[in-house]
Amino acid sequence: MKKIIVTGGAGFIGSHTVVELVQAGYEPVIIDDFSNSDVRVMDGLKAILGFQPTVYKTDCTNKQELTDIFTKEQPEAVIHFAAFKSVNESVEQPLKYYRNNLVSLITLLEVMQDFVVKKLVFSSSCTVYGQPDENPVTENSAMKKTASPYGYTKQVGEQIISDHQSVNPLLACAILRYFNPIGAHPTGLIGELPFGVPNNLVPYITQTAIGLRPQLTVFGDNYQTPDGTCIRDFIHVVDLAKAHVSALAWMDKNEGSCEAFNIGQGRGDSVMDTIKAFVRVTAEQLNYVVGPRRPGDVEQVWADVTKATTELGWKTELTLDDALRDAWLWERNLKG
Ligand code: UFG
């Protein structure tokens, strides 16, 4: 069975990808420092899979520990999720973000080179496009200035991979540019576990609906969009996880290729659309107010997913409604 190193495998997208990998016949090996993930995720994985995947509590900037893991596991490929991801925190603590996100990537690439591991899937983000001139964005759309050090670590991360790959032509890389992942596993056993007050819309919605937060603030309703609120491309985390399995299969057939792929649903929904959909699918009340714009927010961005559809043979199967229903099931399960 092919072993796949999954850095950040206890995180939100990582844990869902671990499930999909097992279901596709791979053997995931998780590396996670648990600095921004919860050990309860491992219980959820065990409940879904019937066994606990191998997990190492390791920081990916630690080359010796990575080397020891690669020596023991001899992986076939790496999926690199491990990174800090808070836009706000990255503005306040840029060095923390540059050190962690870039040093871990560089260290991992060095260790992969030492062990001749020739396949890498990298977690990038639609944040690399900044505020695009036109939607939907394709992989050839310009990379604009991003609003945060976090976004810049993704732009630079892509550049590091591309430069490294150009002198290591046997290395295959799939750079997946995620749009807005939401939802949870349909079993309600794993999902997003934000530490403290959530930054992202859907965890804020579910925490408000369940009574953990008094109200949701909609950040601005005076944008140049049909209802005045920002537009995003929300994608169910299970669909997103499956894109990683498709990327591994693509790399089997495309030795030495390095390509970026948009991974979204291929449609835009506004913040207000999302709130209304949540209320409709859950029949819950949601207390919200409209507040000022959040600094750094992109007005609207959604994906053209033609490249992922045609080249990876992947497409989404779940809807915004499915994602909101699953996120709500997860929130209720967390409450117990
Ligand atoms: N929003 C609110 N109220 C909230 C939270 C969010 O109105 O309490 C709005 C935001 O203003 C934005 C939309 O909901 O218009 C989506 O916000 P999120 O924070 O959920 O997501 P972002 O699009 O800001 O950020 C996401 C990822 C980042 C990534 C970015 C790329 O979280 O990691 O997409 O665009 F960099």
Side-chain angles (χ1 to χ4, degrees):
M1 204 185 287
K2 289 180 180 175
K3 279 191 187 177
I4 314 293
I5 294 279
V6 185
T7 77
F12 176 44
I13 307 171
S15 57
H16 289 81
T17 301
V18 164
V19 172
E20 297 306 319
L21 286 170
V22 172
Q23 285 170 357
Y26 292 100
E27 183 180 346
V29 174
I30 297 171
I31 301 179
D32 202 300
D33 68 358
F34 291 90
S35 65
N36 195 28
S37 48
D38 197 302
V39 285
R40 279 179 290 170
V41 171
M42 300 311 300
D43 298 333
L45 283 175
K46 192 172 175 188
I48 295 170
L49 299 172
F51 68 96
Q52 181 169 305
T54 306
V55 56
Y56 292 92
K57 186 173 183 303
T58 295
D59 175 341
C60 289
T61 61
N62 187 327
K63 190 169 184 180
Q64 187 55 55
E65 285 187 19
L66 283 190
T67 300
D68 292 346
I69 295 168
F70 275 60
T71 304
K72 181 146 185 265
E73 302 292 347
Q74 299 292 325
E76 158 92 14
V78 173
I79 305 179
H80 182 43
F81 293 103
F84 293 148
K85 62 176 183 182
S86 160
V87 172
N88 294 344
E89 189 186 46
S90 78
V91 173
E92 286 155 16
Q93 301 182 60
L95 295 185
K96 175 176 170 180
Y97 275 66
Y98 288 125
R99 165 170 288 282
N100 183 63
N101 291 7
L102 297 180
V103 176
S104 63
L105 173 62
I106 293 165
T107 308
L108 193 62
L109 288 171
E110 286 173 348
V111 176
M112 286 175 68
Q113 190 170 33
D114 291 345
F115 285 82
V116 202
V117 176
K118 292 188 290 191
K119 291 173 196 151
L120 172 69
V121 184
F122 176 64
S123 299
S124 189
S125 162
C126 65
T127 194
V128 300
Y129 297 115
Q131 173 58 67
D133 294 329
E134 275 184 352
N135 277 299
V137 288
T138 73
E139 291 78 0
N140 294 324
S141 296
M143 287 202 189
K144 298 291 194 65
K145 186 169 169 40
T146 76
S148 69
Y150 160 77
Y152 200 52
T153 66
K154 293 299 177 190
Q155 287 185 341
V156 175
E158 289 195 11
Q159 189 65 47
I160 289 170
I161 290 169
S162 164
D163 291 345
H164 176 66
Q165 196 275 339
S166 67
V167 290
N168 289 276
L170 295 182
L171 180 66
C173 306
I175 293 169
L176 304 188
R177 293 181 181 154
Y178 310 150
F179 283 68
N180 286 58
I182 60 166
H185 199 263
T187 57
L189 293 167
I190 53 172
E192 198 163 2
L193 273 169
F195 283 2
V197 182
N199 285 315
N200 297 118
L201 179 64
V202 171
Y204 214 106
I205 289 176
T206 56
Q207 288 198 6
T208 304
I210 211 149
L212 286 172
R213 312 273 157 214
Q215 70 183 7
L216 168 77
T217 301
V218 174
F219 297 138
D221 68 350
N222 57 355
Y223 286 96
Q224 297 298 309
T225 60
D227 67 17
T229 64
C230 291
I231 294 177
R232 294 290 183 274
D233 184 333
F234 296 102
I235 173 171
H236 196 298
V237 64
V238 170
D239 277 333
L240 176 56
K242 287 180 177 167
H244 298 77
V245 177
S246 301
L248 289 176
W250 174 83
M251 289 190 292
D252 283 341
K253 287 181 272 160
N254 291 274
E255 189 177 277
S257 295
C258 183
E259 296 283 340
F261 298 95
N262 285 344
I263 306 294
Q265 194 164 170
R267 57 175 266 178
D269 287 291
S270 74
V271 172
M272 205 50 86
D273 291 334
T274 309
I275 291 171
K276 285 183 185 157
F278 177 81
V279 170
R280 181 170 42 74
V281 300
T282 64
E284 294 291 328
Q285 305 286 327
L286 188 70
N287 184 20
Y288 68 88
V289 289
V290 176
R293 292 181 177 195
R294 183 170 68 176
D297 267 343
V298 163
E299 180 177 274
Q300 44 188 315
V301 60
W302 68 93
D304 181 322
V305 291
T306 309
K307 185 174 175 186
T309 312
T310 53
E311 295 189 29
L312 298 183
W314 163 91
K315 63 178 171 50
T316 56
E317 289 162 355
L318 299 164
T319 63
L320 178 67
D321 286 5
D322 294 325
L324 294 170
R325 197 177 294 114
D326 291 338
W328 182 234
L329 173 63
W330 166 241
E331 187 70 64
R332 280 180 295 152
N333 282 355
L334 272 181
K335 200 178 178 194

